[in-house]
Amino acid sequence: MKQIKWPLLAFAIAAALCIMGIGIAIAEESIIGILGSIIALVLVMGFGFKTKKKMRENGLL
C-alpha cells in the first residue's frame, strides 16, 4: 500500500469543505457566503496543485 501524502489529503478535505460551504451559502441565500466559498475553493485548489507540483519536482510523488 502506498504512503498517505498528508498535505495533499488536507488540501482535498479543505476543498470539500469549501464546496460544502457553497451549498450551505446557497441554502442560506447569502451572496457573500457563496462568493467567499468560491474564492476560498479557488485558493485551496491553487495551493494544492502548487504543492503537488513541488512534491513531484522533488521526487516525493
Side-chain angles (χ1 to χ4, degrees), residues 30-54:
S30 170
I31 300 296
I32 294 173
I34 295 168
L35 293 176
S37 294
I38 290 172
I39 291 169
L41 177 63
V42 170
L43 290 174
V44 167
M45 292 293 289
F47 284 127
F49 284 126
K50 187 175 180 181
T51 301
K52 186 173 181 179
K53 180 182 177 187
K54 284 183 183 180

Side-chain angles (χ1 to χ4, degrees), residues 2-23:
K2 294 184 179 183
Q3 298 248 344
I4 295 175
K5 307 295 187 233
W6 293 106
L8 299 180
L9 179 63
F11 282 121
I13 291 171
L17 290 174
C18 290
I19 293 170
M20 289 174 20
I22 293 170

